[in-house]
Amino acid sequence: MIRPIASFSRLALAALTAGLLAPVSIASAEPDAVALFAEHCATCHAASRLGGTGPALIPQTLGRMRGPVLETVIANGRPATQMPAFADTLDTGEIAALAAYLRTPLAEVPSWSAEDIAASREMAADYTPAPAPVFTAEPMNVTLVVETGDHHVSVLDGDTFEVLDRFATPFAVHGGPKFTPDGRYVFIMSRDGFVQKYDVWSLQEVGRVRAGLNSRNIAMSHDGKWLAVANYLPMTVTILATEDLSVAKVIDVVARNGTASRVSAVYQAPQRKSFILALKDAPEIWEIATDPNAGPYYDGFVHSHEAGMKEALGAEEGLFARRRIAIAEPLDDFFFTPDYTNLIGASREGDRGVVVNLIVGREIAELALPGMPHLGSGITWMSGGRRVMATPHLKEGKLSVIDIDTWETVKTIKTEGPGFFLRSHENSPYVWADVFFGPNKDAMHIIDKETLEIVKTLRPQKGATVAHTEFTRDGRYALVSIWEDDGAVIVFDARTLEEVRRLPMRKPSGKYNVWNKISFSDGTSH
């Protein structure tokens, strides 16, 4: 049944409160935080605390509001949202008690079944697919800007940088939006597990569904038919049909030894026609096939591999068949070589990377990468006739440059502080590296691809966080975020490094050019 978006909040609240977990009570709490939540919060956030019109209020999703910030949000509200201020309604003791209650884990891990997901699906009643783009801009040069300041996305013409549309997203978008291979549709996910489908040609929302309760990211299948959602809560991976957001499959993530695991992230491996899953709590990597002819993959012993023989245990084959790759310890934050033959995962200690060959299904090398590498932002390019990859480090001011054929460190580039994002383009001679953390967060380093030297440091706004570069389709312009609530997207000439234009935005985080993403442009992380 197709229901209008306008009825979303009522239906989502009903779905979440039906049969789910009752609130956790805190013994001898004074004042009564449970009663305060029921009176002031449950209408928007659900009696289960798992979210309704407002986000889930559980420790897994409140990590982004640390320390006294949660009390501040309760007291003062949240600008540009429906979250009201309670400073005139609740005293400081009541606010503190309520915040402590929200930080308390749920008594049990709630479920979120295929039936729950299906019941949450909302399709826009007024959506009409356009036969051609409703704008004159080049559709392959459209760039989406995620504005986390007020939970919107701006759709930019990549030639004129005019805003074609600006639409509301679910609360707290997380992970990069994913486009269908033709670039027409984009899918956006929130930390509360909502997945939104938007038609770039029509400039309209198509619908949304809640695929999990606390989710990490999404990945698009090689053929554009399936969208995988990595979930922390519950411990599942949800696979949706991209056509109508219906549930194709919900897979419980349980390791071979019986350990249930959260999914740190899911990635598309287009050449392999599969999804790759990083497991948070188990020493395994999962590969889930998006090819109907995949497999068979065996969990148990194989007596014979001869044609026609079936003497094996735990075989899975066909669409969504799962393959396990055993590793020494859980790995996070994957980087893939361009042919998706090898991945590098970060160790939990944050001091090294482990190379896993996906063909043979085992670890083949280890890299010394102290300072907590941010491999998910790693990029590759040609330098000195060889292909290298580089990764920033979250705890040290440096970039590690590695030869991906020999796995040797080519160079360590010192920066003005720990960075978060790297970007380049096949038509640019430079790598753009931000300094996301520390006193020099307003710096953007420009690095020559051949010499591997910093040739210039941009400081477009003193004291502001400058981060996340994206290029236009042809690489002529580089778009950089001023990552502040009263921020901007700054357009630079990628050759002269001069500022061309400044577009006011509400805390613009990621920027995603359609062509660069669907073509897996060189210098773009995926």
Side-chain angles (χ1 to χ4, degrees):
M1 176 179 177
I2 295 178
R3 298 183 288 267
I5 287 290
S7 65
F8 175 77
S9 60
R10 175 178 57 81
L11 293 166
L13 183 60
L16 287 166
T17 55
L20 283 173
L21 189 66
V24 179
S25 60
I26 300 178
S28 304
E30 286 293 342
D32 189 343
V34 175
L36 290 171
F37 181 87
E39 179 180 356
H40 300 289
C41 312
T43 300
C44 292
H45 299 279
S48 61
R49 291 169 51 200
L50 295 176
T53 56
L57 298 179
I58 54 178
Q60 292 92 331
T61 58
L62 291 175
R64 54 184 176 263
M65 290 189 286
R66 302 181 187 278
V69 176
L70 182 54
E71 284 89 334
T72 301
V73 171
I74 296 171
N76 301 329
R78 184 180 284 274
T81 74
Q82 297 180 38
M83 173 66 188
F86 286 94
D88 294 336
T89 306
L90 306 174
D91 62 34
T92 56
E94 291 172 323
I95 290 173
L98 189 54
Y101 170 62
L102 299 181
R103 295 190 184 100
T104 304
L106 299 175
E108 299 176 12
V109 176
S111 65
W112 192 245
S113 67
E115 291 73 25
D116 296 319
I117 298 169
S120 74
R121 189 176 72 107
E122 303 286 345
M123 306 304 288
D126 58 350
Y127 166 68
T128 302
V134 297
F135 46 83
T136 58
E138 167 55 52
M140 288 296 171
N141 198 27
V142 163
T143 295
L144 269 60
V145 182
V146 176
E147 297 182 66
T148 57
D150 61 355
H151 316 291
H152 279 72
V153 165
S154 286
V155 183
L156 297 183
D157 180 331
D159 294 307
T160 67
F161 304 109
E162 298 300 322
V163 177
L164 303 174
D165 188 29
R166 191 171 189 271
F167 62 92
T169 67
F171 180 82
V173 166
H174 189 258
K178 297 298 184 289
F179 296 92
T180 50
D182 61 1
R184 170 156 189 174
Y185 298 101
V186 65
F187 295 80
I188 297 166
M189 189 214 75
S190 77
R191 285 299 295 267
D192 287 337
F194 289 99
V195 175
Q196 176 184 31
K197 180 180 180 181
Y198 179 84
D199 184 344
V200 177
W201 282 17
S202 304
L203 300 179
Q204 282 188 289
E205 178 173 342
V206 180
R208 61 180 71 183
V209 67
R210 192 173 196 183
L213 300 175
N214 180 227
S215 303
R216 296 297 296 173
N217 76 323
I218 54 178
M220 178 67 60
S221 65
H222 70 282
D223 55 8
K225 293 181 179 180
W226 314 108
L227 191 79
V229 185
N231 295 319
Y232 262 22
L233 187 66
M235 298 180 186
T236 61
V237 58
T238 299
I239 300 177
L240 303 172
T242 57
E243 182 179 8
D244 60 0
L245 297 177
S246 61
V247 182
K249 192 169 186 178
V250 177
I251 303 172
D252 292 322
V253 179
V254 181
R256 184 175 292 170
N257 64 6
T259 301
S261 177
R262 295 165 291 175
V263 183
S264 296
V266 59
Y267 305 87
Q268 175 190 0
Q271 291 93 325
R272 300 183 59 80
K273 298 182 179 179
S274 66
F275 295 123
I276 307 294
L277 274 63
L279 272 56
K280 185 76 171 176
D281 307 301
E284 293 181 2
I285 294 169
W286 281 17
E287 183 169 22
I288 296 178
T290 54
D291 179 2
N293 300 313
Y297 305 126
Y298 299 100
D299 273 355
F301 294 107
V302 178
H303 177 70
S304 174
H305 287 283
E306 296 176 78
M309 298 296 288
K310 298 289 186 181
E311 298 179 60
L313 300 175
E316 290 194 15
E317 56 188 314
L319 189 63
F320 308 140
R322 180 204 58 216
R323 174 193 179 208
R324 298 182 194 267
I325 298 175
I327 51 179
E329 61 176 328
L331 298 174
D332 291 315
D333 198 26
F334 291 173
F335 164 86
F336 294 87
T337 54
D339 60 1
Y340 283 79
T341 294
N342 299 300
L343 68 81
I344 308 175
S347 71
R348 287 293 165 79
E349 290 79 11
D351 60 356
R352 68 188 188 282
V354 178
V355 184
V356 178
N357 183 281
L358 292 171
I359 296 175
V360 299
R362 65 178 177 85
E363 301 171 18
I364 62 169
E366 187 171 292
L367 310 175
L369 295 172
M372 192 173 288
H374 189 210
L375 293 168
S377 286
I379 62 172
T380 69
W381 69 89
M382 296 300 297
S383 178
R386 60 187 170 186
R387 182 161 289 276
V388 299
M389 70 83 66
T391 178
H393 294 255
L394 300 177
K395 290 186 176 180
E396 293 185 13
K398 65 181 183 181
L399 303 175
S400 294
V401 184
I402 298 164
D403 185 319
I404 65 171
D405 290 322
T406 65
W407 302 115
E408 296 177 349
T409 300
V410 174
K411 186 171 184 177
T412 300
I413 303 172
K414 293 184 179 180
T415 63
E416 293 189 17
F420 205 78
F421 297 106
L422 292 179
R423 283 293 186 274
S424 189
H425 190 278
E426 56 264 27
N427 295 335
S428 172
Y430 304 122
V431 173
W432 295 55
D434 59 43
V435 179
F436 196 82
F437 305 99
N440 298 312
K441 63 183 180 179
D442 57 359
M444 176 70 71
H445 292 309
I446 310 299
I447 301 167
D448 187 285
K449 286 182 177 178
E450 288 296 324
T451 66
L452 303 181
E453 298 287 342
I454 297 173
V455 296
K456 190 169 185 177
T457 298
L458 304 174
R459 284 185 168 82
Q461 186 167 317
K462 185 177 180 180
T465 301
V466 177
H468 195 278
T469 304
E470 175 62 300
F471 288 82
T472 53
R473 175 180 177 172
D474 57 6
R476 181 180 177 185
Y477 297 103
L479 282 64
V480 174
S481 289
I482 302 298
W483 200 310
E484 306 289 345
D485 192 57
D486 58 347
V489 167
I490 302 179
V491 182
F492 286 94
D493 184 305
R495 182 180 59 85
T496 66
L497 308 180
E498 297 296 323
E499 181 175 332
V500 174
R501 189 168 177 183
R502 190 170 290 223
L503 312 171
M505 298 275 180
R506 295 291 303 277
K507 201 172 186 179
S509 53
K511 298 166 296 301
Y512 307 89
N513 179 269
V514 172
W515 176 256
N516 291 345
K517 288 302 179 184
I518 67 173
S519 68
F520 295 83
S521 174
D522 202 21
T524 299
S525 59
H526 305 287

